[in-house]
Amino acid sequence: MRKLFIALGFAFTLGFAQAQTAEVAKEKWYHVGIKQTGVYGVNTDQALQFLKEHKRKANTIIVGVLDSGVENFHEDLKANMWNNPKEIPGNGIDDDKNGYIDDVHGWSFLGTAKGINYNDDTTEITRVYKHLADKYNTFDSKKNQAAASQNPTEYAEFLRVQKEYLSEVGKAKYNQQVGQARLNAVEGGINKMVLEFGDTKLSKDILKNYQTLDSQVLEALWIFGELKEEQWVGKTMKEVANSYLGSARRAAKGDALTSHLNLNLVDRKDVDNPNDKTERFYGNNDSNGPESSHGTHVAGIIGAVRGNNIGSEGTVGGNNVKIMSVRTVPNGDERDKDVANAIRYAVDNGAKILNMSFGKTFSPDKELVWDAFKYASDKNVLIVKAAGNSNEDIDVDIHYPTNFRNGAPVSKSVLTVGASTKDPKALKARFSNYGKQSVDVFGPGQEIYATYPGVDQYRFLNGTSMASPAVAGVAALVWSHYPKLTAEDIRNILMETVNKNEQLKDISVSGGVVDSYKAVQKAEEIYKQRKLK
């Protein structure tokens, strides 16, 4: 009876997954137009047709991707990567005298001058808690009371942070135990399937017709109902096992406890002096880094090569974009100092648009980032950033970096993006943050297909991290064809030309999803009004 229950449950799950995939999974859905399809894509092709009809030629535009790194040799990105024209690769000399040696495709603020990179870092709450705990968590009630009386506001903040930090520790311990239990439950069965299936490429029919009397294998089959089809269809069982068991092993090791929440890893003195807020010239030229999956996907959404008949295509709609990779975000929370320096680096080296698909709930050095925002706006640079993925109202629960200081915007050229879906009946992605004041527009951010590390690899990913570059690419499409507009113009155009929807009316400033066709129409209108050529 138990075997029958497992088999029936497995078949039902596969059927459900198949129906869902047939309904929503399209590699190019985020490029379509609402009028033609009923789907809120960014309408790339119609925009390009409009530009062709109006004889608008594209100028090269540099987009800075401030992220985990970008695989600059990927088949669908390498032709559109930024190459520093004033730097001679590999000679160990700062040829352009910008303070960064051999910065050919960009720079990494997450490594040493000797080329040693790091990937894991703590969360910001860990760093804040460590700083405050050094003052207040003495386990001596009299000393605590004395310290609290001297600075009651800070002590109250410590208690708040301590509660949240220790809650995160508790959750990490729970997840560690779940990961170990999962590993214990399926590892034996999965390893047996690896031997049995060998180099066979998996398909739904193969698994549907698969028969075995091995109870250990039968008890492991449920993982295929949990996985998305693109995670196993067309792959060998060994590839599936490496990915699935690797994730379970990482959870069982308690990576969050050993890195993100580890108080001993707060001071990153092997890379730079985290307490020196004026330091700018550190890191190395490895703009790819040890783990560039997030940044590579983001870069592809913006600027994957168009017209090469492989992979995906960027929302910039052509090959006039150059992607500058500025490695800023580790596996953990980005540091405010790195964010500020990354913005300044990208601006100083010619980027006109910066994409920032990251965020956190604490920002002890937010002034550094605000100063960098102002620096970018003064240099006529547009910043496009993700709203975050915790389904919160960020007017209330602030998500950093924020463009608001004491309720007032710091810059007029920052655009914050929420994530939308291809389902017009449920337009806001469930995970997306929102805010009537703090989220400007929405962009496609669910099941987005784009480049992934591995030279010829591509993946579907979800997040406002995907919505932000979708919008950044549209901004680059417009600005590259209408270069005499300002960063503020581009921001306003994208906001004024959204496809509005009642579902987004009260959760964003513009109340809609960006549309590149309407945006170029508006840009053309402004050019004519201002008599620009």
Side-chain angles (χ1 to χ4, degrees):
M1 181 67 184
R2 185 178 179 213
K3 288 183 181 179
L4 178 62
F5 175 77
I6 291 172
L8 288 174
F10 176 57
F12 173 78
T13 306
L14 278 179
F16 178 74
Q18 182 177 0
Q20 288 292 95
T21 301
E23 187 176 316
V24 302
K26 279 191 176 180
E27 294 173 352
K28 297 181 179 180
W29 78 262
Y30 57 99
H31 286 289
V32 303
I34 179 67
K35 284 190 175 180
Q36 302 93 320
T37 66
V39 172
Y40 285 81
V42 299
N43 208 0
T44 310
D45 289 339
Q46 194 172 8
L48 294 176
Q49 182 61 35
F50 176 87
L51 293 167
K52 182 178 179 181
E53 291 170 356
H54 286 78
K55 297 181 171 57
R56 292 291 179 187
K57 294 183 178 180
N59 295 269
T60 298
I61 189 166
I62 300 171
V63 178
V65 173
L66 281 56
D67 215 292
S68 64
V70 176
E71 186 177 86
N72 58 65
F73 48 86
H74 193 284
E75 64 173 6
D76 217 10
L77 286 174
K78 59 185 179 181
N80 285 348
M81 290 300 298
W82 176 71
N83 288 282
N84 188 341
K86 298 178 182 179
E87 198 72 29
I88 300 172
N91 67 354
I93 299 172
D94 182 15
D95 299 292
D96 59 1
K97 296 180 172 54
N98 68 350
Y100 302 93
I101 297 172
D102 288 338
D103 55 326
V104 177
H105 297 299
W107 192 253
S108 171
F109 288 99
L110 308 181
T112 70
K114 294 182 180 179
I116 300 173
N117 295 312
Y118 78 92
N119 195 50
D120 290 330
D121 202 353
T122 52
T123 57
E124 195 65 74
I125 190 175
T126 304
R127 301 191 282 261
V128 172
Y129 175 70
K130 173 68 163 56
H131 171 72
L132 293 173
D134 287 346
K135 289 184 179 182
Y136 297 111
N137 197 15
T138 64
F139 300 102
D140 183 318
S141 59
K142 290 184 178 180
K143 289 182 179 180
N144 268 17
Q145 287 173 6
S149 65
Q150 291 176 4
N151 196 335
T153 301
E154 188 175 70
Y155 185 70
E157 175 69 359
F158 162 68
L159 294 177
R160 183 179 75 87
V161 170
Q162 182 183 53
K163 180 179 179 181
E164 187 168 335
Y165 170 74
L166 292 178
S167 175
E168 288 294 319
V169 171
K171 184 169 66 174
K173 288 180 178 178
Y174 168 78
N175 288 336
Q176 181 181 15
Q177 293 172 2
V178 169
Q180 186 62 61
R182 177 174 296 216
L183 197 61
N184 294 341
V186 302
E187 186 171 24
I190 290 176
N191 285 335
K192 286 182 178 179
M193 284 190 282
V194 169
L195 295 175
E196 187 169 351
F197 281 86
D199 294 330
T200 300
K201 300 287 187 181
L202 300 177
S203 69
K204 288 179 284 186
D205 284 341
I206 286 174
L207 284 185
K208 181 179 180 181
N209 296 316
Y210 174 61
Q211 298 290 331
T212 181
L213 296 177
D214 191 317
S215 62
Q216 197 174 27
V217 172
L218 288 169
E219 289 174 0
L221 281 173
W222 64 268
I223 71 165
F224 291 97
E226 179 187 33
L227 294 171
K228 294 180 179 179
E229 283 188 12
E230 62 265 21
Q231 293 176 296
W232 63 273
V233 170
K235 299 182 184 297
T236 66
M237 191 66 76
K238 184 177 181 179
E239 289 174 322
V240 175
N242 287 342
S243 176
Y244 190 90
L245 293 179
S247 176
R249 289 187 186 109
R250 287 191 294 274
K253 281 172 58 181
D255 284 354
L257 289 169
T258 57
S259 58
H260 303 340
L261 300 171
N262 191 329
L263 298 176
N264 295 322
L265 297 180
V266 166
D267 293 326
R268 194 188 65 189
K269 293 179 180 177
D270 58 325
V271 179
D272 62 294
N273 180 0
N275 297 317
D276 182 359
K277 310 306 180 187
T278 64
E279 186 180 24
R280 290 195 55 200
F281 302 104
Y282 58 92
N284 60 50
N285 71 335
D286 185 3
S287 59
N288 184 356
E291 212 297 300
S292 61
S293 55
H294 192 272
T296 300
H297 198 268
V298 164
I301 296 170
I302 298 168
V305 174
R306 187 176 181 87
N308 60 359
N309 297 317
I310 59 173
S312 59
E313 294 179 342
T315 57
V316 74
N319 301 322
N320 50 297
V321 67
K322 296 299 174 187
I323 299 294
M324 175 193 293
S325 173
V326 191
R327 200 165 166 259
T328 315
V329 185
N331 180 25
D333 281 344
E334 65 283 354
R335 296 185 182 238
D336 294 330
K337 174 182 173 181
D338 294 341
V339 172
N341 283 328
I343 291 171
R344 290 176 182 272
Y345 172 87
V347 170
D348 289 344
N349 288 280
K352 296 301 295 178
I353 298 170
L354 311 183
N355 186 82
M356 294 170 39
S357 289
F358 52 80
K360 56 190 179 181
T361 55
F362 287 84
S363 182
D365 295 311
K366 60 183 76 70
E367 292 287 346
L368 289 178
V369 180
W370 283 333
D371 287 346
F373 275 14
K374 185 66 166 57
Y375 183 80
S377 63
D378 289 345
K379 296 288 186 177
N380 194 31
V381 171
L382 176 69
I383 293 176
V384 183
K385 70 180 195 69
N389 301 329
S390 48
N391 190 28
E392 293 178 332
D393 182 348
I394 58 174
D395 290 349
V396 179
D397 298 304
I398 299 175
H399 182 84
Y400 295 98
T402 177
N403 189 39
F404 292 91
R405 179 199 276 132
N406 298 324
V410 173
S411 165
K412 293 182 178 180
S413 58
V414 171
L415 192 68
T416 301
V417 184
S420 56
T421 76
K422 73 173 291 189
D423 182 358
K425 295 180 181 178
L427 199 51
K428 184 188 92 69
R430 287 184 295 175
F431 53 78
S432 179
N433 285 346
Y434 54 93
K436 181 64 175 174
Q437 178 189 43
S438 302
V439 174
D440 296 308
V441 298
F442 277 77
Q446 189 170 51
E447 296 198 19
I448 304 300
Y449 186 77
T451 49
Y452 202 80
V455 182
D456 60 354
Q457 297 299 300
Y458 304 83
R459 293 277 179 91
F460 288 93
L461 294 180
N462 304 316
T464 57
S465 283
M466 287 61 251
S468 180
V471 172
V474 173
L477 184 154
V478 178
W479 211 354
S480 62
H481 289 87
Y482 299 91
K484 292 181 181 178
L485 298 177
T486 66
E488 188 177 349
D489 286 333
I490 300 299
R491 178 185 183 274
N492 292 339
I493 286 171
L494 264 58
M495 290 184 64
E496 292 169 7
T497 58
V498 296
N499 287 310
K500 293 182 180 294
N501 187 286
E502 284 294 313
Q503 298 172 62
L504 307 179
K505 177 182 175 183
D506 295 323
I507 60 172
S508 64
V509 180
S510 66
V513 180
V514 293
D515 186 307
S516 55
Y517 171 56
K518 289 184 177 180
V520 293
Q521 285 182 304
K522 183 67 174 180
E524 182 73 24
E525 179 185 320
I526 292 173
Y527 251 47
K528 289 179 179 178
Q529 289 173 351
R530 298 180 186 176
K531 298 181 180 179
L532 301 173
K533 294 183 179 180

